[in-house]
């Protein structure tokens, strides 16, 4: 269950107890029913679930790995360093539709970043019942914040003590949550001192085992034989692991000589981080038997009744449940439900169980029991069968389930995995030994999640990133390559996981090449290879990037038109069930449509960028007494190009400073910007007053009727006197930095945006620009941040201008270009700018510059 062989980077005895302890404490302190800790991994940008408490690990495998750029609450908490509070399903759907689509159940959740020193190690998570009001969650958030801070400091201390970087690269530890009620059944406790090798047991354990005090339990071997002689080796191994600081993450189910179930739980009472040798081990033995009288009564019921704990273990089953589930009663007890009843391992049934575990509301559904099921039948095999009605009634610690025969219904489509012997679904024989390696993975991914994510992707790179972040983890893949078709040749658009340079020889291959990535597109059929040997047999001589593994080649076809091909790589041989093949083929269609849309966008964006660059001024008009500097940064989200512009125009014996912003993005916004810039230039060259310039441009935009509006700020400056006259049309106010370093936002009156009201008036305001002062005109992209008032952004820009220094020529001054670079430095390093940015700075010189 824990995949401990993969945890080579774990710090034995120190990290495990720390993470599990904080998780269980968070569940108890904050009133949750489940929780966990995500930690950074050694794969850049990837978070891994390190601990999961209160939920069965395999049932939540799709969420074991998360990319930090994913639109999920865990990723946001880690990447942004903020607490994410989702009190109910409505708020979850509003803020994180992908997350809500993947777990569409009624529950609330909290996510707190785990920070130590200056390092963010991961995220502490808590799942709780939905809250009626957001304020109800605030006390729990405060408790979580304190625990996350404690965990961050502890992890930071581990690194300070010389331990390697804290990271998690394996499967999660699945631990039992703290019980809300005392456990039913008989309990006995004991302590083992590994130094003296002496076991001390309490009287309740002696009574449970039916032995006299002091006998048959004084050594580990004697204790193991008394608890479960047939499973004594498992008990001894668990004792040794716990003494070394590696307690088993799940209660160990063992069976007494009479076949009854017993659960063994072990822990370290001491801090293994400071103890030099093996630590004492404490444990308890739980006999969950509800009593012979009650058991006998349950066996008389016509319904099958069985109980699961919150980790998915069967802790009780009556005889009717055992008969209907097709397993001996003793075989069921202490085993995971999905392991003992594998024909329930279908995504639809797993959704029902997830709903019961997360929403804490009763769930009812039907399943089909195979008539010809045996232990050798592949998971998901039906072979026809009877329908059963299953109801799940969740409690805080136990889920009580009933199962009864239902009316006969039409058989569903059989779900099979490729047989272990004979031809595979690709028509090729499986290699020797492959049968043991082929594993069936029910698709744990629903197409709606990828579809929602793809709606937010605009460029081809964004689409590829979504496929990498959403599709690969869902199916356990480790490699991805996406090729796009251009002029009857395939060109690599994205790759991840392949050896460096391996895909280079395939760049630009023609559609006549005999390669699986080409033939899947030309034929329109997906190709699945369950081993590399199978791939080599089908395509002799094709270069292979691994000695083992499996591959899926998917055609990307949108509306009947070929777009490209997608290659998924898996590091181990595996089979592809019928349902998986169907889902992957459907997802390929979604990817193809998203790629087709992205290609149209790329074409339009390239045209818009070229148009915009042609329309922006190559150089600004100059004057001996005035220096001007402009900066433009395109947005990096959406269409990337917009309608922001700036200009400096000779106007009579003065200069006109102009900055504007056309609403929207794309070719139309850039074209409208060009028309407005030309109009303003024409008015400025005629030395028209600022109010007439604004009014004339307003009427022009209304006559053009592009369906867009624009903001603008126009300033006419007399370089000799410094007198300036300004008019504004819905544009952010200019900022003036005085020669002594003081700054002031010029809250001058203005009119409505251009293109709305033909009768709009634009009042003119006069101001004085002293020598050495700096005037800053800017567009809203420089001062707007989602979720933050724009006034705060303007204040931040004013403070930045005050700190930027005076122009060159004054003591300690900085060049005007340097000031512009400083004001836009932060924006340049923002990976996702939602809007483009324009900045225009102007300053007067006291005397003409003889070097100009």
């Amino acid at each position: 269950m824990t995949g401990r062989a993969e945890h080579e980077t774990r710090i034995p005895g120190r990290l495990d107890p720390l993470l599990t302890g904080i998780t269980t404490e968070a569940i108890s302190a904050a009133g949750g029913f489940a929780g966990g800790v995500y930690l950074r991994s050694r794969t850049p940008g990837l978070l891994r679930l390190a601990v999961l408490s209160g939920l069965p690990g395999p049932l939540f495998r799709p969420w074991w790995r998360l990319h930090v750029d994913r639109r999920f609450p865990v990723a946001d908490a880690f990447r942004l360093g903020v607490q994410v509070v989702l009190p109910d399903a409505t708020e979850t759907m509003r803020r994180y539709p992908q997350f809500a689509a993947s777990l569409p159940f009624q529950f609330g959740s909290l996510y707190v970043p785990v920070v130590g020193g200056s390092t963010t190690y991961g995220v502490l998570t808590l799942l709780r019942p939905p809250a009626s009001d957001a304020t109800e969650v605030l006390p729990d958030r405060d408790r979580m914040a304190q625990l996350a801070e404690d965990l961050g400091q502890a992890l930071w201390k581990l690194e300070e003590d010389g331990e390697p970087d804290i990271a998690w690269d394996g499967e999660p530890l699945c631990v039992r949550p703290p019980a809300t009620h005392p456990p039913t059944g008989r309990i006995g406790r004991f302590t083992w001192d590994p130094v003296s090798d002496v076991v001390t047991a309490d009287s309740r354990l002696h009574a449970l085992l039916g032995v006299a005090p002091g006998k048959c339990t004084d050594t580990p071997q004697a204790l193991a034989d008394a608890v479960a002689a047939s499973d004594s080796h498992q008990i001894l191994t668990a004792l040794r692991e716990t003494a070394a600081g590696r307690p088993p993450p799940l209660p160990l189910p063992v069976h007494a000589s009479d076949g009854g179930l017993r659960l063994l739980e072990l822990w370290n009472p001491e801090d293994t981080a400071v103890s030099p040798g093996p630590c004492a081990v404490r444990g308890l033995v739980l006999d969950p038997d509800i009593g012979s009288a009650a058991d006998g009564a349950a066996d008389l019921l016509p319904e099958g009744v069985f109980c699961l704990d919150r980790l998915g273990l069967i802790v009780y089953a009556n005889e009717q449940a055992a008969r209907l589930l097709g397993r001996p009663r003793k075989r069921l007890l202490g085993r995971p439900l999905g392991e003992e009843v594998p024909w329930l391992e279908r995504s639809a049934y797993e959704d029902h169980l997830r709903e019961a575990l997360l929403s804490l509301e009763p769930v009812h559904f039907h399943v089909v029991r195979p008539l010809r099921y045996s232990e050798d039948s592949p998971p998901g095999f039906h072979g026809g069968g009877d329908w059963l009605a299953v109801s799940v009634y969740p409690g805080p610690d136990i889920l009580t389930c009933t199962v009864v025969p239902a009316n006969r219904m039409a058989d569903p489509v059989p779900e099979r995995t490729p047989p272990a012997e004979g031809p595979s679904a690709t028509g090729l024989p499986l290699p020797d030994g492959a049968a043991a390696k082929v594993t069936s993975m029910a698709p744990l991914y629903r197409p709606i999640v990828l579809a929602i994510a793809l709606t937010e992707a605009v460029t081809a790179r964004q689409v590829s990133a979504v496929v990498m972040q959403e599709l690969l983890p869902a199916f356990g893949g480790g490699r991805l390559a996406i090729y796009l078709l251009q002029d009857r040749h395939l060109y690599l658009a994205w790759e991840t996981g392949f050896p460096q340079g391996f895909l280079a020889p395939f760049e630009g291959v023609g559609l006549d090449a005999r390669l699986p990535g080409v033939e899947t597109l030309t034929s329109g059929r997906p190709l699945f290879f369950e081993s590399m040997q199978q791939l080599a047999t089908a395509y002799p001589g094709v270069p292979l990037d691994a000695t083992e593994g499996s591959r899926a080649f998917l055609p990307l076809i949108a509306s009947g038109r070929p777009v490209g091909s997608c290659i998924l790589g898996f590091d181990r041989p595996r089979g592809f069930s019928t349902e998986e093949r169907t889902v992957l083929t459907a997802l390929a269609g979604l990817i193809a449509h998203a790629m087709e849309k992205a290609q149209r966008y790329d074409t339009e964006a390239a045209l818009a960028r070229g148009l915009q660059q042609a329309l922006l001024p190559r150089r600004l008009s100059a004057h001996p007494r005035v220096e001007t500097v402009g900066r433009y940064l395109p947005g990096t989200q959406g269409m990337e190009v917009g309608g922001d512009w700036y200009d400096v125009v000779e106007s009579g014996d003065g200069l006109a400073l102009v900055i504007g912003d056309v609403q929207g993005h794309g070719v139309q916004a850039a074209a409208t910007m060009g028309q407005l810039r030309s109009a303003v230039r024409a008015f400025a060259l005629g030395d028209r007053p600022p109010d007439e310039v604004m009014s004339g441009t307003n009427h022009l935009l209304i006559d053009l009727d592009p369906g867009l509006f624009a903001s603008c700020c126009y300033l006419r400056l007399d370089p000799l006197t410094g007198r300036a006259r300004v008019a504004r049309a819905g544009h952010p106010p200019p900022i003036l930095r005085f020669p002594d370093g003081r700054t002031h936002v010029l809250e001058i009156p203005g009119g409505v945006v251009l293109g709305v009201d033909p009768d709009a008036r634009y009042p003119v305001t006069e101001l004085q620009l002293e020598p050495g002062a700096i005037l800053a005109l800017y567009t809203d992209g420089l001062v707007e941040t989602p979720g933050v008032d724009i006034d705060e952004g303007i204040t931040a820009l004013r403070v930045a201008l005050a700190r930027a220094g005076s122009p060159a020529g004054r003591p300690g001054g900085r060049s005007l270009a340097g000031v512009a670079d400083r004001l836009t430095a932060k924006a340049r390093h923002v990976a996702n700018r939602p809007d483009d940015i324009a900045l225009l700075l102007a300053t007067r010189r006291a005397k003409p510059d003889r070097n100009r």
Side-chain angles (χ1 to χ4, degrees):
M1 292 291 292
T2 64
R4 194 170 288 274
E6 298 183 31
H7 295 177
E8 297 178 358
T9 59
R10 188 182 304 171
I11 305 169
R14 307 182 73 178
L15 190 55
D16 292 9
L18 178 62
L19 297 176
T20 56
I22 287 288
T23 302
T24 54
E25 189 175 350
I27 294 174
S28 296
F33 55 79
V37 176
Y38 281 86
L39 289 181
R40 60 186 184 176
S41 71
R42 299 199 182 281
T43 302
L46 187 68
L47 299 176
R48 281 186 176 270
L49 183 61
V51 172
L52 178 63
S53 178
L55 296 172
L59 203 59
F60 292 84
R61 185 183 294 270
W63 298 273
W64 283 8
R65 303 190 305 172
L66 290 174
H67 198 276
V68 296
D69 289 332
R70 223 173 155 185
R71 290 291 300 276
F72 265 52
V74 171
D76 277 1
F78 180 87
R79 186 181 68 257
L80 303 176
V82 298
Q83 300 175 8
V84 177
V85 180
L86 304 174
D88 54 27
T90 301
E91 182 68 6
T92 303
M93 174 60 76
R94 185 184 72 81
R95 295 178 58 185
Y96 298 97
Q98 292 174 239
F99 181 47
S102 60
L103 292 172
F105 312 124
Q106 294 293 329
F107 66 95
S109 53
L110 301 173
Y111 308 85
V112 182
V114 176
V115 182
S118 60
T119 302
T120 301
Y121 294 101
V123 178
L124 178 62
T125 70
L126 179 79
L127 307 184
R128 64 184 311 282
S132 57
D133 187 87
T135 58
E136 181 183 328
V137 187
L138 297 182
D140 295 341
R141 183 197 64 183
D142 294 340
R143 298 186 190 101
M144 287 274 289
Q146 184 59 56
L147 290 171
E149 181 180 346
D150 294 343
L151 177 57
Q153 291 302 313
L155 296 177
W156 177 75
K157 183 65 165 56
L158 284 179
E159 288 193 325
E160 286 290 298
D161 290 343
E163 299 291 354
D165 292 341
I166 303 298
W168 196 273
D169 290 299
E171 297 180 4
L173 293 169
C174 299
V175 298
R176 185 177 299 279
T180 57
H181 303 288
T184 59
R186 296 180 296 163
I187 295 179
R189 303 178 185 273
F190 66 88
T191 302
W192 171 51
D193 181 359
V195 177
S196 63
D197 203 32
V198 173
V199 175
T200 304
D202 65 6
S203 58
R204 293 184 179 183
L205 180 59
H206 291 128
L208 187 154
L209 300 178
V211 298
K215 295 182 179 180
C216 301
T217 59
D218 54 349
T219 67
Q221 185 66 60
L223 173 70
D225 290 340
V227 173
S230 60
D231 295 326
S232 62
H233 64 288
Q234 297 183 43
I235 298 176
L236 293 174
T237 300
L239 286 170
R240 287 191 293 268
E241 289 285 304
T242 305
R246 299 184 295 271
L250 286 174
L252 183 64
V254 294
H255 291 80
S257 56
D258 62 357
L261 171 67
R262 286 172 177 167
L263 299 177
L264 178 67
E265 297 199 23
L266 305 172
W267 68 92
N268 293 108
E270 304 174 29
D271 184 359
T272 57
V274 298
S275 300
C279 295
V281 175
R282 289 185 182 175
L284 64 83
V285 179
L286 170 65
D287 182 355
D289 185 27
I290 62 175
S292 57
D295 197 10
D299 284 341
L300 297 177
L301 294 174
E303 299 92 355
V305 179
F306 62 97
C307 297
L308 307 174
D309 67 6
R310 291 199 63 83
L311 297 185
L313 295 180
I314 304 172
V315 295
Y316 173 78
N318 68 357
E319 288 295 342
Q320 178 73 338
R323 186 183 69 81
L324 290 174
L325 296 178
R327 278 290 186 268
R329 187 177 183 181
K330 294 180 181 179
R331 172 76 177 269
L332 290 172
L333 296 180
R335 308 290 183 183
L337 175 65
E339 199 175 280
E340 282 306 308
V341 192
W343 43 270
L344 286 177
E345 285 282 331
R346 295 188 62 187
S347 57
Y349 307 148
E350 291 178 347
D351 265 350
H352 292 307
L353 188 53
R354 277 192 285 263
E355 180 178 4
L357 286 162
L358 295 178
S359 68
L360 303 182
E361 295 292 334
V363 174
H364 311 279
F365 58 95
H366 288 78
V367 297
V368 63
R369 179 189 61 190
L371 289 177
R372 299 187 295 276
Y373 180 80
S374 71
E375 291 188 14
D376 296 328
S377 299
F381 174 71
H382 294 158
D386 296 323
W387 282 88
L388 304 176
V390 180
S391 296
V392 183
Y393 301 90
D397 302 316
I398 296 294
L399 285 76
T400 301
C401 309
T402 63
V403 54
V404 295
N407 292 332
R408 180 86 181 174
M409 299 175 63
D411 288 344
V413 178
E415 179 186 11
R416 302 173 183 263
T417 55
E421 296 179 359
S424 69
T426 59
L428 297 170
L430 289 173
D432 294 339
K437 297 180 181 179
V438 172
T439 59
S440 173
M441 288 179 56
L444 299 173
Y445 190 85
R446 294 182 298 177
I448 188 173
V449 180
L450 181 62
I452 292 175
L454 287 175
T455 61
E456 301 177 358
V458 179
T459 68
R461 288 190 62 82
Q462 289 173 346
V463 172
S464 301
V466 166
V467 176
M468 180 191 72
Q469 296 166 16
E470 301 287 349
L471 192 62
L472 281 186
F475 287 88
R479 307 182 187 203
L480 169 70
I482 295 180
Y483 284 87
L484 297 181
L485 182 64
Q486 182 178 353
D487 298 329
R488 296 188 57 80
H489 289 77
L490 288 174
Y491 295 92
L492 185 65
W494 183 279
E495 68 167 308
T496 183
F498 286 92
Q500 186 175 5
F502 172 75
L503 296 177
F506 304 103
E507 180 71 2
V509 297
L511 294 185
D512 56 348
R514 191 173 186 278
L515 294 170
V518 173
E519 293 191 355
T520 189
L521 181 61
T522 55
S523 67
R525 294 183 297 103
L527 302 175
F528 298 93
F529 300 94
E530 296 152 359
S531 70
M532 299 303 286
Q533 179 179 340
Q534 202 178 85
L535 175 58
T537 302
Y539 292 88
V542 67
L544 303 178
D545 60 306
T547 56
E548 58 179 352
S550 54
R551 294 289 180 269
F553 296 83
L554 308 174
L556 301 182
I557 299 175
S559 303
R561 294 187 297 273
V563 176
S565 57
C566 176
I567 305 171
L568 300 179
F570 304 86
D571 294 332
R572 299 176 182 174
R574 53 154 298 179
F576 297 91
S577 68
T578 301
E579 185 176 356
E580 280 183 305
R581 294 166 186 253
T582 302
V583 170
L584 283 171
T585 303
L587 293 179
L590 291 176
I591 297 168
H593 281 283
M595 277 296 184
E596 185 183 45
K597 180 186 70 174
Q599 287 178 313
R600 289 198 302 267
Y601 158 79
D602 287 336
T603 301
E604 182 178 353
L607 175 61
R609 278 193 295 271
L611 177 61
Q612 188 176 50
Q613 290 300 321
L615 293 174
L616 285 173
R618 294 181 178 273
R619 66 178 183 85
L620 301 178
S621 297
H623 190 281
R625 297 289 295 272
V626 178
E627 181 183 3
T628 57
V629 170
R631 294 287 184 268
Y632 174 78
L633 301 178
T636 56
Q637 287 184 353
M639 280 302 300
E640 293 187 358
V641 291
D644 289 20
W645 91 94
Y646 61 86
D647 207 351
V648 178
V649 187
E650 295 181 9
S651 180
D653 56 356
L655 289 178
L657 309 179
V658 189
I659 195 161
D661 182 2
V662 177
Q663 170 226 10
H665 298 84
V667 173
Q668 186 176 20
T672 303
M673 177 267 285
Q675 292 172 309
L676 293 186
R677 175 174 176 260
S678 298
V680 173
R681 266 188 158 275
F683 288 130
L685 290 171
D687 202 13
R688 304 277 290 276
D691 55 336
E692 292 186 18
V693 174
M694 289 290 94
S695 296
T697 308
N698 179 47
H699 285 104
L700 172 66
L701 185 57
I702 292 174
D703 291 342
L704 291 174
D705 192 20
L708 302 175
F709 59 82
S711 68
C712 186
C713 182
Y714 181 92
L715 182 146
R716 204 278 188 187
L717 173 65
D718 184 337
L720 298 179
T721 65
R723 178 173 173 264
R725 305 181 71 225
V726 189
R728 277 201 308 148
H731 202 81
I735 300 177
L736 181 62
R737 184 187 192 277
F738 296 97
D740 60 4
R742 294 179 297 113
T743 54
H744 181 61
V745 178
L746 303 177
E747 295 290 356
I748 58 178
V752 298
V753 293
L754 306 174
V756 174
D757 180 8
D759 299 322
R761 295 291 180 266
Y762 300 95
V764 177
T765 301
E766 292 192 3
L767 59 91
Q768 187 69 30
L769 185 63
E770 302 175 15
I774 300 176
L775 181 69
L777 307 178
Y778 53 93
T779 56
D780 56 9
L782 187 60
V783 293
E784 274 192 328
T785 302
V788 179
D789 192 289
I790 190 173
D791 289 339
E792 295 183 23
I794 294 174
T795 300
L797 179 62
R798 179 183 62 77
V799 172
L801 181 60
R803 295 173 177 173
S806 302
R810 295 184 57 87
R814 178 181 285 108
S815 70
L816 194 63
V819 174
D821 291 338
R822 188 179 180 94
L823 295 182
T824 56
K826 182 178 179 180
R828 290 179 186 277
H829 292 88
V830 174
N832 295 306
R833 287 191 301 274
D835 199 1
D836 44 351
I837 293 170
L839 173 69
L840 179 62
L841 300 181
T843 186
R844 285 181 64 225
R845 298 185 178 91
K847 296 180 180 180
D849 188 347
R850 303 297 183 183
N851 297 322
R852 289 184 62 86

